[in-house]
Amino acid sequence: MTAHLVWILLIYGVGAAVVHLMYIRQAVQAYHNGEDAHMTSLNRRATRYIVITSNDGDRVEWVMRSLSILAWLHRRPLHVTVLDDESIDDTLPILTRLVRYSHMDVSVISCHFSPGNPVLPKSGGEKQVVIDLRTANPLAGVPLVP
């Protein structure tokens, strides 16, 4: 029993040490660049994810929760624009419920796309990642970890 407790404490200590070393490394890099380390981590470039849905109630919750976890892990501003292509299933009610509880800037727009040619919002200097849930493999080639 005590051996298990020692291992747990050892693993916790190693994890805490790794987090502190990563913060120190970031602070040293910011110092060499003439920046404040705390402000550098807070002012990272925002990323806008554009999620295109059409009757994707079975997949949209997983994608939105994954993006919320990603935003929390990276402590980075995350903006999500959901473009819904006239869904008639439970996609919009699921999104409405998730928007209330997410820690992201989410906007849901219902619209009709011309086939194969959606009009995407302008970036405004943000990095944009498009996730089209209407395709067979929507996450192929999408860098979920910026």
Side-chain angles (χ1 to χ4, degrees):
M1 180 68 175
T2 58
H4 291 289
L5 184 59
V6 169
W7 276 107
I8 290 171
L9 291 175
L10 179 66
I11 291 171
Y12 177 78
V14 169
V18 168
V19 169
H20 286 289
L21 289 174
M22 289 173 58
Y23 179 77
I24 291 170
R25 180 176 166 254
Q26 179 185 10
V28 168
Q29 286 177 345
Y31 176 77
H32 287 299
N33 293 336
E35 302 168 342
D36 180 21
H38 182 68
M39 293 308 292
T40 300
S41 66
L42 293 178
N43 293 330
R44 292 182 183 166
R45 193 170 126 192
T47 302
R48 176 167 300 276
Y49 285 86
I50 300 171
V51 180
I52 303 173
T53 64
S54 179
N55 297 322
D56 291 303
D58 56 338
R59 297 191 286 180
V60 72
E61 183 171 4
W62 179 84
V63 169
M64 295 300 288
R65 289 189 187 276
S66 298
L67 291 174
S68 180
I69 291 169
L70 180 72
W72 179 78
L73 285 174
H74 289 279
R75 295 178 300 155
R76 180 174 297 188
L78 191 72
H79 309 285
V80 179
T81 301
V82 179
L83 301 176
D84 182 66
D85 189 8
E86 300 179 331
S87 291
I88 57 173
D89 67 348
D90 58 348
T91 301
L92 290 175
I94 289 172
L95 285 169
T96 303
R97 182 175 42 89
L98 289 174
V99 166
R100 279 186 268 153
Y101 300 110
S102 77
H103 301 286
M104 303 178 294
D105 173 27
V106 180
S107 58
V108 179
I109 302 169
S110 291
C111 54
H112 175 69
F113 294 117
S114 55
N117 194 11
V119 177
L120 301 177
K122 301 216 186 267
S123 72
E126 295 175 313
K127 177 181 171 186
Q128 283 189 340
V129 177
V130 177
I131 301 172
D132 192 347
L133 294 179
R134 302 172 302 167
T135 61
N137 192 3
L139 299 179
V142 174
L144 284 179
V145 182

